[in-house]
Amino acid sequence: MKLTMKGKGASLMQGAAVVAVAGLFGSEVAMAGADTTFNSALTSFTGFLEGSGGKIITVLSLAGGIVGLASGRFSLGQIAIPVGVGVGAGTGVPIVTAAVTATI
């Protein structure tokens, strides 16, 4: 069988075929539930970001901002970005974890 559609139509047909196959065979795999396969990795990574890892990332980001300031190109982003990284590492992980584990 030869595909006679060209351009965007061919891409659309291929995408629809992939979605149909995934819907037939992958519906059970995509269900979220009480699966605990990656809990140990999630706990380790969350602990890393909320603890020393988050502090290291924040300090490295601040050091990059200071190097940028020392090079003579002042920008408010060089101070705001490290602050945002610190806030994100400290409080972002619990917010995301709570949103993911919330029951809808």
Side-chain angles (χ1 to χ4, degrees):
M1 178 176 209
K2 187 175 182 181
L3 183 63
T4 58
M5 297 184 76
K6 294 182 180 182
K8 292 182 182 179
S11 298
L12 182 63
M13 292 299 289
Q14 289 173 349
V18 168
V19 169
V21 169
L24 289 174
F25 297 111
S27 61
E28 290 182 21
V29 176
M31 295 292 180
D35 183 34
T36 59
T37 305
F38 297 106
N39 271 355
S40 60
L42 177 65
T43 303
S44 298
F45 191 67
T46 302
F48 174 76
L49 282 180
E50 289 178 341
S52 60
K55 292 176 185 174
I56 290 171
I57 292 170
T58 304
V59 168
L60 289 175
S61 179
L62 183 60
I66 291 172
V67 167
L69 287 173
S71 70
R73 48 186 181 106
F74 178 77
S75 171
L76 185 60
Q78 292 168 340
I79 302 299
I81 290 174
V83 170
V85 168
V87 169
T91 60
V93 174
I95 291 170
V96 171
T97 304
V100 170
T101 58
T103 305
I104 298 175

